[in-house]
Each structure stands twice: as C-alpha cells, then as structure tokens.
Amino acid sequence: MAGTLIRSLFTNLSLYGTNSANLRSIHTSTVYYAARKGTRAKARAKKVKVEVTKIGFIPHNQRKKDKVTKVVDKHIDDSFKQVSKDNVFPMRYYRWVVYTAEDAVKAHQETHHPTMYNMPDALVYARVEMNMQAVKKNRFLDNFMRLTLLPNIFPRDEERTILAFCKGPELIKQALESGATTVGATEIVKKIQDGEIKLADYDFVIAHPNMVTDLVPIRGLMKRRFPNVRSGTLDPDICGLIKKFAAGIQYRVVKDEQQENFGSTEVPVGRLNMDAKQVSENVDALLKDIQSARPKRDGLFITRCLIVSPPSTERLKIDPFVHVERTLSKEVQDDSDDEEVVAATA
C-alpha cells in the first residue's frame, strides 16, 4: 500500500517536471534592459561638461536683489492725527498746517527774498492730487489734457505758434492782433497742400465754423488736429479762442502706474512778484476747471492741493474745498438722475 502511494507521487512529479507546456515562463530580459539603459543614460549625463562663465566684480549697489515692493497708499489723509498747539512741532506726528492760497504765496515770497533764495520772480505751482476712480468701482479715468485761461496772465518761458483759419479781411486782421502766428482762408489750405506750410511747425490749429468745409481736402493731413468743438479748437469767437490758446495754461493729469485711483498734475499759476491775491484767483480758476472734469459719482475727486515754488522744497497745503464743492452740485445730480430715468425707459 505504501509503495503504491510513493510510486504515484513520483509519477505526478515527473509529469510536471517533464511537461514544460504546463508551466508559465517569467521573462525578465526587458526589465533588465530598461534598467541598464537608464543607468547608461545617467552615466552619460555625468560625463557632460558644464561650462561655468566667470563674471567680473559687480559693485554692491548694482547687484540684483529680490526686493519686496511695499504697496503704500498715495492718498495721504492725516485727519486722524492731532492738531499741534505749538508753533514748532514735528510734522510726522501732527496734522499739516492748512494755509489759504494767499498766505501760502506770501510764505514763498519770504523764502525767495534776495537774502535767501534770491529768486523774487520764481514760478508758483499748484500740485493737485485726485481720485481717478470712475463711476464703476473697478474702472478708472484715463490720462487727460486740458487748456484753461487763468484770469491773471503772467509771463512764461515758452512761445506758442498758432495757425488760425477764418474768412474775411476784417476777421483776419482781428485774429492777427489777438496773437495768431498765421491767419488765412483757402490760400493757406493750398499752401499746405503744396507743402509750403507745414502743420508740424504750429503748436495749435484752430478755425472758425465757416471754414470747416474748406478744410475737408486737407483732413487727411491734419488727422487728429482737425478743428472740432469737442477739443475746443472750433469756435465762432475766433479772437477769444486765439487768446485762450496763446495765453492759456495747458496741463496734463497723469494716472499713477502702480495705483490706478491716484492721479496728479503740477500747473504754474503765477509768479512770486505778482500780488498774492492775483495768484490766489488763478488757483481758484484752476481748481474749478479740474473739478469740471470729475466723474458723476459720490466721493471726492480733488483730494489735496499743495502750493510749491522751486528751488524751495517747501510744500504748503491749502484747502481746495474753499474754491470747489466737496460733492456734486444739485444740477449735476439732477442731470445724472434724468439720464438714468431715460436709460431705464429706453
């Protein structure tokens, strides 16, 4: 009995041992090849020579460093600070002194006395800061340029050339007396077409409405300088227009690149040898002209105004809301409400 069991056992073992078809073979050659290939690639990569370029000595102030830019709000509001009770105090911890425009000019007149800066006829500038936010919170005003005629004209270190188009010998004579460089009608148009007169030689190009049709042939040459009502270069009062462009103050409001809701402009408003009251009147006219460009929204448009006069570094703060209103006038608010009603009904 035992022998029979042993014999059958050996028979089964021999069957499995001799019959290779019943066994599954394990192929490891591809795995080994992939491993060898990766090892060889790593070895080749190590043999590649890395070229090191030598850099000469760089001064410490020219070395590039990863500086963390700190965002600082440029709309300065010191209303939370206390008012100083003394005449001498650190401005860092107290509110700025607020002057009237006249007092600010008089203070600069003292510092520019011959015994100090010795520039009694220095220019006076008004630095105006604005909130450039538009009607929508995520929109902001673009940079814009304006021209305004101040009530008290003062000499400036610039010459302006004006080309005026108008008809009639009497009107042409009046335009020349008003300060235009070149005045004419169709004859000027022909000279521009022939190349005798170049538009680039003139700072401003203005026209009377009776010349609009005659200017159509040179519209392509004039491009954006073509006179129109929107830019203020087309008006029946050609003499008043010439005076405005000849003696007016042109200024540009620039939006900050990092802070889009902050804009500023620096405009000359007079000279120190003028009466302080005259300079104050010019400041008043300038602030009102800037305020006329404000968007129809709540909140301040003009946020701060400083009176400066180089080479002095003093910046004297004045209250701009003595000259302009803090909020929109009732007429403007009513107009905006009417526009909303019309839009809703449409």
Side-chain angles (χ1 to χ4, degrees):
M1 187 72 181
T4 307
L5 288 171
I6 292 168
R7 197 179 296 112
S8 62
L9 233 148
F10 273 108
T11 305
N12 293 332
L13 285 171
S14 63
L15 284 171
Y16 284 106
T18 54
N19 192 1
S20 62
N22 296 330
L23 295 175
R24 185 177 291 176
S25 62
I26 301 171
H27 300 282
T28 58
S29 59
T30 54
V31 179
Y32 293 150
Y33 175 74
R36 289 196 301 274
K37 188 178 179 182
T39 307
R40 290 167 186 166
K42 290 177 183 177
R44 283 193 219 100
K46 288 181 180 179
K47 290 179 181 179
V48 176
K49 293 182 180 180
V50 180
E51 294 183 2
V52 180
T53 55
K54 293 183 179 181
I55 302 172
F57 175 74
I58 301 173
H60 71 280
N61 57 351
Q62 296 180 8
R63 295 173 189 171
K64 293 183 179 179
K65 296 180 181 178
D66 296 333
K67 295 182 180 180
V68 179
T69 55
K70 190 177 180 181
V71 179
V72 180
D73 189 5
K74 294 187 178 181
H75 290 295
I76 299 173
D77 181 19
D78 60 350
S79 59
F80 65 94
K81 296 181 181 179
Q82 58 182 341
V83 180
S84 175
K85 297 178 182 178
D86 302 325
N87 293 331
V88 181
F89 58 91
M91 295 180 65
R92 182 177 179 181
Y93 304 107
Y94 296 92
R95 291 186 197 177
W96 278 32
V97 178
V98 180
Y99 299 85
T100 62
E102 288 186 41
D103 291 340
V105 173
K106 288 177 181 177
H108 281 301
Q109 286 174 345
E110 292 179 6
T111 57
H112 288 69
H113 191 267
T115 56
M116 296 184 71
Y117 285 111
N118 193 19
M119 292 186 69
D121 59 343
L123 281 168
V124 182
Y125 295 87
R127 177 178 171 80
V128 188
E129 298 174 0
M130 287 145 281
N131 185 353
M132 301 291 281
Q133 183 184 327
V135 178
K136 293 184 178 180
K137 291 184 179 180
N138 59 345
R139 297 294 179 90
F140 304 95
L141 298 178
D142 294 325
N143 299 343
F144 61 90
M145 187 178 290
R146 293 179 68 90
L147 183 91
T148 181
L149 183 63
L150 300 180
N152 301 298
I153 300 170
F154 56 94
R156 283 167 293 141
D157 302 330
E158 61 175 335
E159 292 182 5
R160 293 180 180 175
T161 52
I162 300 170
L163 174 61
F165 292 97
C166 60
K167 291 180 180 178
E170 189 175 342
L171 195 60
I172 290 172
K173 184 181 178 182
Q174 291 176 0
L176 286 170
E177 290 174 355
S178 299
T181 311
T182 306
V183 185
T186 52
E187 68 276 7
I188 301 294
V189 176
K190 288 182 179 179
K191 287 182 180 179
I192 292 172
Q193 287 177 320
D194 297 337
E196 295 180 21
I197 294 177
K198 294 181 180 179
L199 294 169
D201 295 338
Y202 297 92
D203 297 322
F204 302 103
V205 179
I206 61 176
H208 192 278
N210 61 11
M211 278 293 299
V212 174
T213 54
D214 297 320
L215 295 176
V216 173
I218 58 170
R219 190 184 187 108
L221 295 171
M222 300 181 80
K223 296 179 181 179
R224 293 185 179 181
R225 304 187 74 182
F226 192 85
N228 58 80
V229 179
R230 188 175 181 181
S231 62
T233 53
L234 185 69
D235 197 288
D237 184 12
I238 192 73
C239 296
L241 201 61
I242 292 168
K243 289 177 182 178
K244 180 180 178 181
F245 279 92
I249 298 293
Q250 190 174 27
Y251 62 92
R252 181 178 175 83
V253 176
V254 181
K255 181 172 59 177
D256 189 76
E257 293 181 359
Q258 283 76 31
Q259 187 176 343
E260 289 187 302
N261 68 345
F262 179 83
S264 63
T265 183
E266 193 166 291
V267 189
V269 290
R271 288 189 177 272
L272 290 177
N273 56 3
M274 295 171 60
D275 186 15
K277 189 176 180 181
Q278 291 180 327
V279 181
S280 177
E281 290 172 356
N282 287 351
V283 172
D284 180 81
L286 173 67
L287 291 174
K288 285 177 179 174
D289 187 72
I290 294 174
Q291 186 76 350
S292 64
R294 68 163 296 163
K296 295 178 181 179
R297 60 164 174 79
D298 296 331
L300 299 178
F301 179 55
I302 296 175
T303 55
R304 194 168 70 146
C305 182
L306 305 172
I307 303 298
V308 297
S309 181
S312 173
T313 56
E314 278 190 303
R315 299 181 298 166
L316 304 180
K317 182 180 177 181
I318 67 168
D319 185 7
F321 307 112
V322 173
H323 309 277
V324 296
E325 295 181 359
R326 283 178 175 270
T327 56
L328 287 170
S329 62
K330 291 182 180 180
E331 295 178 0
V332 176
Q333 286 180 349
D334 293 339
D335 292 341
S336 60
D337 293 340
D338 293 341
E339 288 176 4
E340 291 176 0
V341 171
V342 170
T345 53

